[in-house]
Amino acid sequence: MALPEVKQTATEARLATLTMPEAGCTRAAREDALARVLEMGLPGRRDEYWKYTRPDTLISAEQPHAALFHSDEPLLFGNLDRLKIVFIDGVFSAEDSDDLELEGVNIDRIEDICCKDIHWAKELYGVLESRGQSPVQRPLAALNTAFAADGVAIHVTGKPTKPISLIYRHASETSDAMLHHIIRVESGAEVTVLENGPAASRFNKCIEIDIADGGTLHHVRAQGRDHERRAATHMFTRLGQESVYKSFTLTVNGILTRNEQVIELTGDDAIAHVAGACVGDGDFHHDDTVFVTHDAVNCESRQVFKKVLRNGATGVFQGKILVKEGAQKTDGYQISQSLLLDDDSQFLAKPELEIYADDVACSHGSTSGAIDETALFYLRSRGVSVKDATNMLTLAFLAEAVDEIEDEELAEAIVNRLEGWLSRHI
Amino acid sequence: MAALDQTQVKEGVDQETVDAVREVSTYKYGWDTDIEMEYAPKGVNPDIVRLISDKNEEPEWMTEWRLAAFERWTKMDEPNWAMVHYPKIDFQDQYYYARPKSMEEKPKSLDEVDPKLLATYEKLGIPLKEQMILAGVEGAEDMPAEGRKVAVDAVFDSVSVGTTFQDELAKHGVIFCSISEAIREHPELVKKYLGTVVPVSDNFYATLNSAVFSDGSFVYIPPGVRCPMELSTYFRINAENTGQFERTLIIADKGSYVSYLEGCTAPQRDTAQLHAAVVEIIIEEDAEVKYSTVQNWFPGDENGKGGIYNFVTKRADCRGDRSKVMWTQVETGSAVTWKYPSCILRGDESQGEFYSIAITNNMQQADTGTKMVHLGKNTKSRIVSKGISAGKAQNTYRGLVSMHPKAKDSRNYTQCDSLLIGDKCGAHTVPYIEVRNNSSRVEHEATTSKVDDDQLFYCRQRGMDEEEAVALVVNGFCKDVLQALPMEFAMEAQQLVAISLEGSVG
Amino acid sequence: MLEIKNLHVKLEEEEKQILKGVDLTVEAGKVHAIMGPNGSGKSTLSYVLSGRDGYEVTEGSATLEGEDLLEMEPEERAAAGVFLAFQYPVEIPGVGNMTFLRTAVNAQRKARGEDELSAADFLKEVRAKAKSLKIDADMLKRPVNVGFSGGEKKRNEILQMAMLEPKMCILDETDSGLDVDAMKLVAEGVNALRDEGRGFLVITHYQRLLDHIKPDVVHIMADGRIVKTGGPELALEVENNGYADILAEVN
């Protein structure tokens, strides 16, 4: 079917600004992805999946601009023993990164997977993204597969002793970066992946994660510190039998953030938890879009998303649990809540259930409202200032999402970051 | 009902006993008619639109209104966002106008009718004596009312065949008549309100309805009047290949109250039939309208053959402060249902409520829900939706709760529960929640589960067979909604729940 | 009346044998008590007799007045006269207690080829029976067991028993969760139903219920078998010495 003219024009304009990397062995996958982009067209305002988030600036052919942000805050995860992999404006920096050597894991740049004959990676690049295009189209992810210039392939075969930390630095006010990582967690292996940093003026990132039977991946991410950046991120995760995927994202800044999580539970008894805490102030638009597919028996999925918004900030949640025929004994849970600190902020949500199996327990809840006046008064009557009381209640509100982080040290780092933000902003 | 009321008088039994007996008593009614019809030629075009307008002896302005709608409709596309699938409808292969050739025609022998259909009607039950009126029994209208009075406007295919109690209602200033009559007799009211809640160009089906609606009901409740009886429209599609496009307009003037009931059935046909109705409700200051529907259009057979395509636009506009609307629907019929009775909460402190039971079995598909659009301050809305899916059916709740920036201090509470019976059906929930101010509170909860095994075992241990146990548990699951129905409908609905789920277990 | 022979039962989903050859005969007019430590298979026996899913009979038989219970659906067993007073009565939201009772009564009457009870007769009977169990009108209107206290739930079970007039009553840990007053009330209800045509199987962990419902025969069950049978004095022995002695003696 032909694309609407507006979409066709916008797509062509954006594609004209991009060059596909040579990329040897991933070339075929990239060509396929480009074909998908051409077929789908880039997201437009009228697309149902972009009902609450305007994709214009994410797809525009114009060079993005974002002022750099300076802060004297201590670095997130700064005290943590981790393997650092640094990207500056979307380009791998060997100089700033640690040696990519760690027991139980092999790490390579995507551009190296061809010369090193790394079969698993060649077979995965673009595959999960492509699977994730149905039933809902995600053209920005396909665009990423086609044009991403850098990224790493992480092969987890054991249980590395420290987390792998992906750090995204922003150096140019007009950087327009696309990164594509692929991660394969082998049977029984376990890894923690951290991500933080503003990355670029405009950032399009895609991670494909394949977790084999009995594998475990923990993911903790912090986005923020750059007021003007725009980001569209995708995580495509496929889970095998008895595997575990737990992901948490903190977002405290940026003009526009769209985080998509596409999770497919394909093996029995698998567990997937995704959580997000977001604190938005002013010209801030944050969109969590989650799509969980249950395609196996006795799996558990859990989505916990909390947003605190003020000064005209907008929070969006689109979450879906799809239970396919035969995916019996599914336990699916989803909660999305927002705390609106003033009247200019808004929360837009579309929590969905689509269920084709009967022996399931699925539920979702969504609430939106102002801070609890009774609780606020109670704290004040005990001598706590309005500001501190508001902070306390805000943190308490976000706690349910932060609690999803299993590792205490990581949770503490996130809470510290949140507290710092609250003390400055409220 | 009437008999029980008399019992109370005769024996002086306490009210609790009467209530209890009511609660456990069952109702059984049945009817069928077979009437020769007069049709307009198949298809829709400006000539057909003029013909419908002409048959209803409408004034020129109405004809023009229809033609403008038709013009619009030709430029519109059929919506495809709902989670329903059906073969493409050939809108030119439908009759847009059919009416009984003669009102005097008596029902014929029932021998030729499929016994399965007869059985359905027997179990279905149509609550009151309007069975006789509908069947064309002479003088039925003049018979004394039994028990609680319900005035009925019966729409048979394209035309209203009779409205009861008009005189008594007139004493209170209540106008209750067919919309065709209202267009002739009360043009000022129709002109003022028609199309103001559901605009001509609202959506594909509503626009088609605006062009070709053949009849429907009209209600006007004057200021301060509490309508002395329930008003009811009974819709029936009888003729083959006939689309039914009725239009209902209800106006509750300041401080008035009315409870309105709508019931529908259609006979079993191999080919699908189209039903595209529009209901507009205007509620002024301090007025209240309760609108209850029991929809039991023919759902098609076990293989999905035939059945009604039910594409309905229903909307209430709470214009005045403190106005209130309550939609209650029990949707058990139709092959495909596409229906979202909505509330525009424009007046400050206005309230909207939506209670829904949607049951789909076999190959049925339902995509139904509501929209609560909060515009005024201190407005409140409540949504309770119970979806039950069995067989190979698909059941979707689709809803919108929107809090506009000016709708300060408003509240919404939504509860959507889905129940699955069998592993081949689907239950889906698609809510849209838009909150644009922070003094309003929105709460949404949804659950999906199957019928609880422990509950079924408990019932069976007490002697109920599986089907009976399922019906009982499902009725319990629907209780919150059933309670919102007027008594007459609640009884009928409870039985419908059981009938609709027949064959879904085992 | 109830005859159980060499009954072997395992869980359907796992290889776990729970009953390992139970032999038991309950005569009409008699009250048999089954006592035993936790996990001995007492509750399983009640579920298997009433036809709950999840259990597989691997050997043996259970008949009521010569009819094979194990071949019947749960509702057929109920119509045949088996009544189970649940240890944990199930809550059914939205279904009025009265509606539930009437549906059950009429379902059984229908299964036995009897006419349905008229609404008026039914009400009269429920009211009278409820009154003797101190069940008030409010409890009859409320949804089945929803929001009932432990005592209310158990009284409600006995009310159902009284209304359904079964031949064989099985009481599964009916005393659990009850205080002394509630237990007395329940026991009175049960005693009122004792008659020559009816058999009782009272399953309990403690002897205290048997102070109020005097058994004719007491069985001790352990590890899926009946290990000892005696008169009421056997219950007292358990009360005084616990199960350990008896089990040691049997082994």
PDB file of all heavy atoms in Angstrom, chain A residues 48 52 340 343 346-347 349 351 353 355 362 364 366 368 370, chain B residues 408 426-427 429 431-436 438 442 444 446 448 450:
ATOM      1  N   GLU A  48      -1.423   5.867  15.062  1.00  0.00           N
ATOM      2  CA  GLU A  48      -2.025   5.540  16.364  1.00  0.00           C
ATOM      3  C   GLU A  48      -0.938   5.342  17.432  1.00  0.00           C
ATOM      4  O   GLU A  48      -1.085   5.750  18.568  1.00  0.00           O
ATOM      5  CB  GLU A  48      -2.874   4.275  16.217  1.00  0.00           C
ATOM      6  CG  GLU A  48      -3.364   3.633  17.508  1.00  0.00           C
ATOM      7  CD  GLU A  48      -4.350   4.489  18.291  1.00  0.00           C
ATOM      8  OE1 GLU A  48      -4.971   5.391  17.685  1.00  0.00           O
ATOM      9  OE2 GLU A  48      -4.483   4.263  19.514  1.00  0.00           O
ATOM     10  N   TYR A  52       0.258  10.124  21.288  1.00  0.00           N
ATOM     11  CA  TYR A  52       0.546  11.039  22.386  1.00  0.00           C
ATOM     12  C   TYR A  52       1.949  11.639  22.334  1.00  0.00           C
ATOM     13  O   TYR A  52       2.332  12.396  23.217  1.00  0.00           O
ATOM     14  CB  TYR A  52       0.345  10.324  23.728  1.00  0.00           C
ATOM     15  CG  TYR A  52      -1.083   9.930  23.993  1.00  0.00           C
ATOM     16  CD1 TYR A  52      -1.407   8.642  24.422  1.00  0.00           C
ATOM     17  CD2 TYR A  52      -2.125  10.847  23.827  1.00  0.00           C
ATOM     18  CE1 TYR A  52      -2.726   8.282  24.678  1.00  0.00           C
ATOM     19  CE2 TYR A  52      -3.441  10.492  24.079  1.00  0.00           C
ATOM     20  CZ  TYR A  52      -3.732   9.214  24.495  1.00  0.00           C
ATOM     21  OH  TYR A  52      -5.031   8.869  24.750  1.00  0.00           O
ATOM     22  N   LEU A 340       0.960  14.521  39.395  1.00  0.00           N
ATOM     23  CA  LEU A 340       1.050  15.812  38.722  1.00  0.00           C
ATOM     24  C   LEU A 340       1.217  16.894  39.783  1.00  0.00           C
ATOM     25  O   LEU A 340       0.332  17.107  40.603  1.00  0.00           O
ATOM     26  CB  LEU A 340      -0.212  16.062  37.893  1.00  0.00           C
ATOM     27  CG  LEU A 340      -0.547  14.984  36.842  1.00  0.00           C
ATOM     28  CD1 LEU A 340      -1.843  15.326  36.103  1.00  0.00           C
ATOM     29  CD2 LEU A 340       0.584  14.833  35.838  1.00  0.00           C
ATOM     30  N   ASP A 343      -0.855  22.189  37.669  1.00  0.00           N
ATOM     31  CA  ASP A 343      -1.964  22.060  36.745  1.00  0.00           C
ATOM     32  C   ASP A 343      -1.575  22.056  35.273  1.00  0.00           C
ATOM     33  O   ASP A 343      -2.390  21.748  34.415  1.00  0.00           O
ATOM     34  CB  ASP A 343      -2.946  23.220  36.993  1.00  0.00           C
ATOM     35  CG  ASP A 343      -4.322  22.670  37.309  1.00  0.00           C
ATOM     36  OD1 ASP A 343      -4.477  21.434  37.219  1.00  0.00           O
ATOM     37  OD2 ASP A 343      -5.204  23.458  37.640  1.00  0.00           O
ATOM     38  N   GLN A 346       0.657  17.057  32.273  1.00  0.00           N
ATOM     39  CA  GLN A 346      -0.361  16.104  31.847  1.00  0.00           C
ATOM     40  C   GLN A 346       0.175  14.687  31.736  1.00  0.00           C
ATOM     41  O   GLN A 346       1.365  14.458  31.533  1.00  0.00           O
ATOM     42  CB  GLN A 346      -1.007  16.546  30.539  1.00  0.00           C
ATOM     43  CG  GLN A 346      -0.014  16.863  29.441  1.00  0.00           C
ATOM     44  CD  GLN A 346      -0.732  17.372  28.186  1.00  0.00           C
ATOM     45  OE1 GLN A 346      -1.884  17.035  27.951  1.00  0.00           O
ATOM     46  NE2 GLN A 346      -0.057  18.172  27.396  1.00  0.00           N
ATOM     47  N   PHE A 347      -0.755  13.772  31.881  1.00  0.00           N
ATOM     48  CA  PHE A 347      -0.414  12.356  31.814  1.00  0.00           C
ATOM     49  C   PHE A 347      -1.369  11.692  30.831  1.00  0.00           C
ATOM     50  O   PHE A 347      -2.584  11.843  30.928  1.00  0.00           O
ATOM     51  CB  PHE A 347      -0.563  11.720  33.192  1.00  0.00           C
ATOM     52  CG  PHE A 347      -0.304  10.240  33.215  1.00  0.00           C
ATOM     53  CD1 PHE A 347       0.914   9.723  32.791  1.00  0.00           C
ATOM     54  CD2 PHE A 347      -1.263   9.359  33.680  1.00  0.00           C
ATOM     55  CE1 PHE A 347       1.156   8.349  32.819  1.00  0.00           C
ATOM     56  CE2 PHE A 347      -1.026   7.985  33.712  1.00  0.00           C
ATOM     57  CZ  PHE A 347       0.182   7.486  33.288  1.00  0.00           C
ATOM     58  N   ALA A 349      -2.242   8.053  28.940  1.00  0.00           N
ATOM     59  CA  ALA A 349      -1.914   6.634  29.063  1.00  0.00           C
ATOM     60  C   ALA A 349      -2.826   5.765  28.236  1.00  0.00           C
ATOM     61  O   ALA A 349      -3.994   6.069  28.031  1.00  0.00           O
ATOM     62  CB  ALA A 349      -2.012   6.209  30.532  1.00  0.00           C
ATOM     63  N   PRO A 351      -3.022   1.851  28.594  1.00  0.00           N
ATOM     64  CA  PRO A 351      -2.600   0.530  29.073  1.00  0.00           C
ATOM     65  C   PRO A 351      -3.489  -0.539  28.458  1.00  0.00           C
ATOM     66  O   PRO A 351      -4.695  -0.490  28.608  1.00  0.00           O
ATOM     67  CB  PRO A 351      -2.837   0.608  30.585  1.00  0.00           C
ATOM     68  CG  PRO A 351      -3.893   1.661  30.765  1.00  0.00           C
ATOM     69  CD  PRO A 351      -3.976   2.494  29.510  1.00  0.00           C
ATOM     70  N   LEU A 353      -4.554  -4.652  27.322  1.00  0.00           N
ATOM     71  CA  LEU A 353      -4.449  -6.101  27.469  1.00  0.00           C
ATOM     72  C   LEU A 353      -5.038  -6.743  26.217  1.00  0.00           C
ATOM     73  O   LEU A 353      -6.091  -6.325  25.751  1.00  0.00           O
ATOM     74  CB  LEU A 353      -5.265  -6.599  28.674  1.00  0.00           C
ATOM     75  CG  LEU A 353      -4.925  -6.068  30.063  1.00  0.00           C
ATOM     76  CD1 LEU A 353      -5.959  -6.551  31.075  1.00  0.00           C
ATOM     77  CD2 LEU A 353      -3.548  -6.541  30.481  1.00  0.00           C
ATOM     78  N   ILE A 355      -5.691 -10.675  25.093  1.00  0.00           N
ATOM     79  CA  ILE A 355      -5.499 -11.990  25.685  1.00  0.00           C
ATOM     80  C   ILE A 355      -6.252 -13.083  24.950  1.00  0.00           C
ATOM     81  O   ILE A 355      -7.459 -12.990  24.749  1.00  0.00           O
ATOM     82  CB  ILE A 355      -5.908 -11.931  27.181  1.00  0.00           C
ATOM     83  CG1 ILE A 355      -4.920 -11.002  27.891  1.00  0.00           C
ATOM     84  CG2 ILE A 355      -5.883 -13.313  27.822  1.00  0.00           C
ATOM     85  CD1 ILE A 355      -5.328 -10.565  29.234  1.00  0.00           C
ATOM     86  N   CYS A 362      -4.198 -11.613  34.506  1.00  0.00           N
ATOM     87  CA  CYS A 362      -3.585 -10.401  34.009  1.00  0.00           C
ATOM     88  C   CYS A 362      -4.327  -9.199  34.566  1.00  0.00           C
ATOM     89  O   CYS A 362      -5.543  -9.209  34.675  1.00  0.00           O
ATOM     90  CB  CYS A 362      -3.657 -10.343  32.482  1.00  0.00           C
ATOM     91  SG  CYS A 362      -2.559 -11.528  31.702  1.00  0.00           S
ATOM     92  N   HIS A 364      -4.120  -4.649  34.913  1.00  0.00           N
ATOM     93  CA  HIS A 364      -3.386  -3.411  34.837  1.00  0.00           C
ATOM     94  C   HIS A 364      -4.126  -2.334  35.609  1.00  0.00           C
ATOM     95  O   HIS A 364      -5.331  -2.387  35.808  1.00  0.00           O
ATOM     96  CB  HIS A 364      -3.094  -2.990  33.392  1.00  0.00           C
ATOM     97  CG  HIS A 364      -4.283  -2.581  32.591  1.00  0.00           C
ATOM     98  ND1 HIS A 364      -4.370  -2.816  31.259  1.00  0.00           N
ATOM     99  CD2 HIS A 364      -5.413  -1.935  32.925  1.00  0.00           C
ATOM    100  CE1 HIS A 364      -5.506  -2.351  30.804  1.00  0.00           C
ATOM    101  NE2 HIS A 364      -6.169  -1.802  31.787  1.00  0.00           N
ATOM    102  N   SER A 366      -4.000   2.072  36.402  1.00  0.00           N
ATOM    103  CA  SER A 366      -3.406   3.342  36.046  1.00  0.00           C
ATOM    104  C   SER A 366      -4.075   4.418  36.886  1.00  0.00           C
ATOM    105  O   SER A 366      -5.294   4.432  37.014  1.00  0.00           O
ATOM    106  CB  SER A 366      -3.628   3.610  34.552  1.00  0.00           C
ATOM    107  OG  SER A 366      -3.049   4.839  34.200  1.00  0.00           O
ATOM    108  N   SER A 368      -3.846   8.747  38.104  1.00  0.00           N
ATOM    109  CA  SER A 368      -3.214  10.032  37.939  1.00  0.00           C
ATOM    110  C   SER A 368      -3.857  10.997  38.909  1.00  0.00           C
ATOM    111  O   SER A 368      -5.063  10.974  39.104  1.00  0.00           O
ATOM    112  CB  SER A 368      -3.402  10.517  36.502  1.00  0.00           C
ATOM    113  OG  SER A 368      -2.925  11.832  36.397  1.00  0.00           O
ATOM    114  N   ALA A 370      -2.985  14.556  41.915  1.00  0.00           N
ATOM    115  CA  ALA A 370      -2.063  15.469  42.581  1.00  0.00           C
ATOM    116  C   ALA A 370      -1.491  14.789  43.815  1.00  0.00           C
ATOM    117  O   ALA A 370      -1.870  13.682  44.161  1.00  0.00           O
ATOM    118  CB  ALA A 370      -2.807  16.737  42.964  1.00  0.00           C
TER     119      ALA A 370
ATOM    120  N   LYS B 408     -11.457  21.087  36.458  1.00  0.00           N
ATOM    121  CA  LYS B 408     -10.767  20.980  37.750  1.00  0.00           C
ATOM    122  C   LYS B 408     -11.539  20.084  38.726  1.00  0.00           C
ATOM    123  O   LYS B 408     -12.755  20.022  38.683  1.00  0.00           O
ATOM    124  CB  LYS B 408     -10.647  22.363  38.397  1.00  0.00           C
ATOM    125  CG  LYS B 408     -10.042  23.422  37.511  1.00  0.00           C
ATOM    126  CD  LYS B 408      -8.555  23.341  37.470  1.00  0.00           C
ATOM    127  CE  LYS B 408      -7.985  24.525  36.725  1.00  0.00           C
ATOM    128  NZ  LYS B 408      -6.773  24.209  35.993  1.00  0.00           N
ATOM    129  N   GLY B 426     -10.907 -14.600  23.027  1.00  0.00           N
ATOM    130  CA  GLY B 426     -10.003 -13.524  23.394  1.00  0.00           C
ATOM    131  C   GLY B 426     -10.718 -12.444  24.185  1.00  0.00           C
ATOM    132  O   GLY B 426     -11.909 -12.205  24.008  1.00  0.00           O
ATOM    133  N   ALA B 427      -9.973 -11.793  25.076  1.00  0.00           N
ATOM    134  CA  ALA B 427     -10.523 -10.671  25.832  1.00  0.00           C
ATOM    135  C   ALA B 427      -9.484  -9.561  25.838  1.00  0.00           C
ATOM    136  O   ALA B 427      -8.314  -9.804  26.146  1.00  0.00           O
ATOM    137  CB  ALA B 427     -10.837 -11.093  27.258  1.00  0.00           C
ATOM    138  N   THR B 429      -8.466  -5.232  26.361  1.00  0.00           N
ATOM    139  CA  THR B 429      -8.795  -3.984  27.035  1.00  0.00           C
ATOM    140  C   THR B 429      -7.957  -2.872  26.419  1.00  0.00           C
ATOM    141  O   THR B 429      -6.738  -2.971  26.402  1.00  0.00           O
ATOM    142  CB  THR B 429      -8.459  -4.096  28.541  1.00  0.00           C
ATOM    143  OG1 THR B 429      -8.951  -5.343  29.017  1.00  0.00           O
ATOM    144  CG2 THR B 429      -9.088  -2.979  29.328  1.00  0.00           C
ATOM    145  N   PRO B 431      -7.896   0.957  26.954  1.00  0.00           N
ATOM    146  CA  PRO B 431      -8.340   2.234  27.497  1.00  0.00           C
ATOM    147  C   PRO B 431      -7.397   3.374  27.114  1.00  0.00           C
ATOM    148  O   PRO B 431      -6.188   3.175  27.006  1.00  0.00           O
ATOM    149  CB  PRO B 431      -8.292   1.999  29.000  1.00  0.00           C
ATOM    150  CG  PRO B 431      -7.253   0.954  29.186  1.00  0.00           C
ATOM    151  CD  PRO B 431      -7.072   0.212  27.893  1.00  0.00           C
ATOM    152  N   TYR B 432      -7.965   4.517  26.890  1.00  0.00           N
ATOM    153  CA  TYR B 432      -7.179   5.734  26.671  1.00  0.00           C
ATOM    154  C   TYR B 432      -7.444   6.640  27.866  1.00  0.00           C
ATOM    155  O   TYR B 432      -8.595   6.899  28.198  1.00  0.00           O
ATOM    156  CB  TYR B 432      -7.621   6.455  25.405  1.00  0.00           C
ATOM    157  CG  TYR B 432      -7.338   5.710  24.128  1.00  0.00           C
ATOM    158  CD1 TYR B 432      -8.144   4.663  23.719  1.00  0.00           C
ATOM    159  CD2 TYR B 432      -6.263   6.067  23.323  1.00  0.00           C
ATOM    160  CE1 TYR B 432      -7.888   3.975  22.530  1.00  0.00           C
ATOM    161  CE2 TYR B 432      -6.003   5.392  22.139  1.00  0.00           C
ATOM    162  CZ  TYR B 432      -6.820   4.348  21.749  1.00  0.00           C
ATOM    163  OH  TYR B 432      -6.562   3.673  20.569  1.00  0.00           O
ATOM    164  N   ILE B 433      -6.375   7.107  28.481  1.00  0.00           N
ATOM    165  CA  ILE B 433      -6.528   7.944  29.666  1.00  0.00           C
ATOM    166  C   ILE B 433      -5.766   9.238  29.422  1.00  0.00           C
ATOM    167  O   ILE B 433      -4.561   9.205  29.184  1.00  0.00           O
ATOM    168  CB  ILE B 433      -5.971   7.218  30.906  1.00  0.00           C
ATOM    169  CG1 ILE B 433      -6.716   5.897  31.110  1.00  0.00           C
ATOM    170  CG2 ILE B 433      -6.078   8.100  32.150  1.00  0.00           C
ATOM    171  CD1 ILE B 433      -5.958   4.895  31.946  1.00  0.00           C
ATOM    172  N   GLU B 434      -6.464  10.357  29.451  1.00  0.00           N
ATOM    173  CA  GLU B 434      -5.814  11.636  29.161  1.00  0.00           C
ATOM    174  C   GLU B 434      -6.125  12.623  30.274  1.00  0.00           C
ATOM    175  O   GLU B 434      -7.254  13.071  30.422  1.00  0.00           O
ATOM    176  CB  GLU B 434      -6.320  12.171  27.813  1.00  0.00           C
ATOM    177  CG  GLU B 434      -6.076  11.179  26.675  1.00  0.00           C
ATOM    178  CD  GLU B 434      -6.638  11.612  25.327  1.00  0.00           C
ATOM    179  OE1 GLU B 434      -7.225  12.712  25.251  1.00  0.00           O
ATOM    180  OE2 GLU B 434      -6.499  10.846  24.363  1.00  0.00           O
ATOM    181  N   VAL B 435      -5.110  12.930  31.043  1.00  0.00           N
ATOM    182  CA  VAL B 435      -5.325  13.804  32.196  1.00  0.00           C
ATOM    183  C   VAL B 435      -4.569  15.105  31.971  1.00  0.00           C
ATOM    184  O   VAL B 435      -3.347  15.101  31.863  1.00  0.00           O
ATOM    185  CB  VAL B 435      -4.825  13.130  33.485  1.00  0.00           C
ATOM    186  CG1 VAL B 435      -5.214  13.965  34.694  1.00  0.00           C
ATOM    187  CG2 VAL B 435      -5.384  11.730  33.604  1.00  0.00           C
ATOM    188  N   ARG B 436      -5.311  16.200  31.894  1.00  0.00           N
ATOM    189  CA  ARG B 436      -4.664  17.464  31.565  1.00  0.00           C
ATOM    190  C   ARG B 436      -4.822  18.518  32.646  1.00  0.00           C
ATOM    191  O   ARG B 436      -4.780  19.708  32.400  1.00  0.00           O
ATOM    192  CB  ARG B 436      -5.183  17.982  30.214  1.00  0.00           C
ATOM    193  CG  ARG B 436      -4.804  17.059  29.071  1.00  0.00           C
ATOM    194  CD  ARG B 436      -5.040  17.666  27.712  1.00  0.00           C
ATOM    195  NE  ARG B 436      -4.252  16.972  26.700  1.00  0.00           N
ATOM    196  CZ  ARG B 436      -4.682  15.933  25.986  1.00  0.00           C
ATOM    197  NH1 ARG B 436      -5.894  15.485  26.158  1.00  0.00           N
ATOM    198  NH2 ARG B 436      -3.899  15.359  25.101  1.00  0.00           N
ATOM    199  N   ASN B 438      -4.161  18.773  37.261  1.00  0.00           N
ATOM    200  CA  ASN B 438      -3.673  17.930  38.353  1.00  0.00           C
ATOM    201  C   ASN B 438      -4.616  17.838  39.532  1.00  0.00           C
ATOM    202  O   ASN B 438      -4.378  17.088  40.458  1.00  0.00           O
ATOM    203  CB  ASN B 438      -2.278  18.374  38.809  1.00  0.00           C
ATOM    204  CG  ASN B 438      -2.331  19.461  39.852  1.00  0.00           C
ATOM    205  OD1 ASN B 438      -3.206  20.326  39.806  1.00  0.00           O
ATOM    206  ND2 ASN B 438      -1.414  19.426  40.798  1.00  0.00           N
ATOM    207  N   VAL B 442      -7.798  10.284  38.429  1.00  0.00           N
ATOM    208  CA  VAL B 442      -8.275   9.238  37.533  1.00  0.00           C
ATOM    209  C   VAL B 442      -7.737   7.902  38.019  1.00  0.00           C
ATOM    210  O   VAL B 442      -6.550   7.772  38.299  1.00  0.00           O
ATOM    211  CB  VAL B 442      -7.784   9.486  36.088  1.00  0.00           C
ATOM    212  CG1 VAL B 442      -8.204   8.344  35.172  1.00  0.00           C
ATOM    213  CG2 VAL B 442      -8.323  10.805  35.565  1.00  0.00           C
ATOM    214  N   HIS B 444      -7.875   3.755  37.112  1.00  0.00           N
ATOM    215  CA  HIS B 444      -8.303   2.735  36.165  1.00  0.00           C
ATOM    216  C   HIS B 444      -7.785   1.388  36.629  1.00  0.00           C
ATOM    217  O   HIS B 444      -6.625   1.250  36.966  1.00  0.00           O
ATOM    218  CB  HIS B 444      -7.739   3.059  34.770  1.00  0.00           C
ATOM    219  CG  HIS B 444      -7.951   1.969  33.776  1.00  0.00           C
ATOM    220  ND1 HIS B 444      -8.953   2.007  32.854  1.00  0.00           N
ATOM    221  CD2 HIS B 444      -7.302   0.802  33.583  1.00  0.00           C
ATOM    222  CE1 HIS B 444      -8.903   0.904  32.120  1.00  0.00           C
ATOM    223  NE2 HIS B 444      -7.920   0.158  32.544  1.00  0.00           N
ATOM    224  N   ALA B 446      -8.027  -2.894  35.651  1.00  0.00           N
ATOM    225  CA  ALA B 446      -8.556  -3.911  34.751  1.00  0.00           C
ATOM    226  C   ALA B 446      -7.990  -5.259  35.128  1.00  0.00           C
ATOM    227  O   ALA B 446      -6.828  -5.371  35.537  1.00  0.00           O
ATOM    228  CB  ALA B 446      -8.180  -3.586  33.311  1.00  0.00           C
ATOM    229  N   THR B 448      -8.099  -9.610  33.968  1.00  0.00           N
ATOM    230  CA  THR B 448      -8.568 -10.666  33.070  1.00  0.00           C
ATOM    231  C   THR B 448      -8.266 -11.998  33.738  1.00  0.00           C
ATOM    232  O   THR B 448      -7.161 -12.211  34.226  1.00  0.00           O
ATOM    233  CB  THR B 448      -7.819 -10.621  31.724  1.00  0.00           C
ATOM    234  OG1 THR B 448      -8.008  -9.327  31.170  1.00  0.00           O
ATOM    235  CG2 THR B 448      -8.363 -11.658  30.766  1.00  0.00           C
ATOM    236  N   LYS B 450      -9.909 -16.376  34.262  1.00  0.00           N
ATOM    237  CA  LYS B 450     -10.911 -17.342  33.821  1.00  0.00           C
ATOM    238  C   LYS B 450     -11.868 -17.604  34.974  1.00  0.00           C
ATOM    239  O   LYS B 450     -11.639 -17.166  36.093  1.00  0.00           O
ATOM    240  CB  LYS B 450     -10.248 -18.618  33.340  1.00  0.00           C
ATOM    241  CG  LYS B 450      -9.601 -19.464  34.402  1.00  0.00           C
ATOM    242  CD  LYS B 450      -9.266 -20.815  33.785  1.00  0.00           C
ATOM    243  CE  LYS B 450      -8.810 -21.807  34.833  1.00  0.00           C
ATOM    244  NZ  LYS B 450      -8.838 -23.173  34.341  1.00  0.00           N
TER     245      LYS B 450
END
